[in-house]
Amino acid sequence: MINDLWYKNAILYCLHVGSFMDTSGDGTGDFRGLMRRLDYLQGLGVTAIWLMPFQPSPMRDDGYDIADYYNVDPRYGTLGDFVEFTHACDQRGLRVLIDLVVNHTSDQHPWFKSARSSPDSPYRNWYVWSKSKPKDASSGVVFPGVQKSTWNYDEKAREYYFHRFYEFQPDLNTSNPEVQAEILKIMGFWMQLGVSGFRMDAVPFVIATKGPTVRKPVEQYDMLRTFAEFISWRKGSAIVLAEANVLPNTDMEYFGSEGERLQMMFNFQVNQHLFYALATTDTHPLIASLHSTSRRPATAQWGQFLRNHDELDLGRLTSQQRQACFAAFAPEKDMQLYHRGIRRRLAPMLHGDRRRLEMAYSLMLSLPGTPVIRYGDEIGMGDDLTLPERNALRTPMQWSRDPQGGFTTNPHPKNPVITGGTYGFEHINVADQRRDPNSLMNWMERMIRTRKETPEIGWGNFTIIRTPHRDVLILRYTWQDNAVLLIHNFSPDPIDLRLRSSAKPTSNRAGKRPAKQQPDLYLTNILSNDHSTADSSGRHLILLEPYGYRWFRVGSQEDRGPTLDA
Ligand code: GLC
């Protein structure tokens, strides 16, 4: 499969058009508003945008309940506006990924309406039915505490239908070839309108066998190959970025041994252990998760993130580890969700502590993969716990000190803007931070630039440098005879780090050609002028401040010779 691999070293920014910028004054963000903010995004330095669902929807799950796959919800604009938007992105060299939600539809989708109306409907077999209530109807719910079952009785159909998520999201029968063909058609449609790929929702459920007799769902991995082939035939550089919170021993099944299935997956494994490390300062489980997810085909890439639009899912941690995270970041019951997660944004979780926020973002930018930033995190936005479930962390972008944070002229935005207090728009907004050279936003912009100038991370291979300090993580990347060393101190205490220079020739990616010299004796600080020279016994002494971080290039900056893009 041919792909220019742009995603291997991209900076992804995810946003919901309805929460970004409203120009119509109806209190909901729209594509015209988003277009006005593209220069802001380009200035921040991101290279790709992931849009959450914007298709027509009854909006009972923030758009993840789609009622028409081939249109734009009128609240956000028109298909014409969408094409103007992808064109404007193209002009600025920004790629666009959109959410592809095909595990289920809304119960208001015409397909479901037809399917339930008669057993003879051509769409009946597009959904998953059972004449009697399956025994395991109350197991496998995704939203425990809110969702009661996975099978509901439909009065019209006089049968039970399967829904992995909320009851208003009937599952599509994705094993049905007609449904599979429709999924390809949906992809083709949006690619024709200018998108470079899809963030595919709930992938393990999309490819699972479904039905009343299915006790243990089986993953039909080959479906992923069909998707990959189709999109690459249509557009060589198109990708699927999968939401698949799976165990590391199945990663290669998802990527495909030759990279023939998925180009990207979010690294949920690293994400959860990273928060454990932030909560406890113990980096060893994080290191284990980096090792367990290190295997992937050369063309595949991880999406590395801190927070997204959902709860911070800690379901893969041990219950003890999870409790440690709850104690640190969500001590009140109301901050927790679905018995496994935290419904908060990053800044309030880290008590707005600038040192910790910088360390966390520096870490995210230095993890093996492509960083994914959530809108508003670049200015340290907060959450609104008075809103139900995950809506707490989906409040509108805070642009300025104008009423409603400059998001809308409507005094009653659909989602309330955070007002007053530490995280209110009066204190946290883009306009103020733009003018302040020391703001989090300007720091983030500089870090994004630094990340782009450090291609070793996206392209290279990493090793973990061992240290006796459990609270320090040292990542070393090598690529094309260059190496970088990225150091993070998770502890609130300063640390005297002694690093022995290996002073051995490093090797290139294929492990064949030895490097030009023995460069570890000199470390160039990429972020400041505080460089490090090894002492006569070959040791670097690095004084890390509380939550300190360092980005070093091994050898001198000038050693980084010209490189070729893939
Ligand atoms: C994914 C989305 C989530 C949504 C669910 C159902 O997990 O991230 O927001 O509720 O799928 O579509």
Side-chain angles (χ1 to χ4, degrees), residues 61 64 101 104 143 165 169 199 201 243 309-310 390 394:
D61 182 15
Y64 283 89
V101 189
H104 46 264
F143 304 122
F165 296 90
Q169 291 167 320
R199 177 266 187 191
D201 192 51
E243 182 207 24
H309 63 298
D310 288 326
R390 294 161 291 165
R394 297 174 176 178

Side-chain angles (χ1 to χ4, degrees), residues 145-203:
V146 185
Q147 179 192 357
K148 303 234 155 22
S149 75
T150 49
W151 289 90
N152 260 37
Y153 187 68
D154 185 66
E155 299 284 348
K156 274 210 183 122
R158 295 166 176 248
E159 285 192 33
Y160 290 83
Y161 65 92
F162 177 65
H163 56 92
R164 175 59 70 189
F165 296 90
Y166 297 110
E167 81 280 359
F168 52 81
Q169 291 167 320
D171 266 48
L172 280 165
N173 177 9
T174 41
S175 300
N176 178 343
E178 286 179 34
V179 172
Q180 290 179 11
E182 189 74 26
I183 294 174
L184 299 186
K185 207 198 270 186
I186 295 167
M187 289 177 155
F189 177 83
W190 292 104
M191 284 169 60
Q192 204 71 26
L193 298 190
V195 313
S196 294
F198 305 90
R199 177 266 187 191
M200 198 178 211
D201 192 51
V203 169

Side-chain angles (χ1 to χ4, degrees), residues 102-103 174-175 180 200-210 217-225 227 244 246 253-254 261-262:
V102 290
N103 176 64
T174 41
S175 300
Q180 290 179 11
M200 198 178 211
D201 192 51
V203 169
F205 299 131
V206 172
I207 64 171
T209 48
K210 312 175 185 190
V218 178
E219 287 82 9
Q220 305 163 91
Y221 294 113
D222 230 35
M223 227 188 263
L224 300 175
R225 186 194 174 105
F227 298 152
V246 293
E253 301 280 9
Y254 280 86
R261 291 174 182 162
L262 292 167

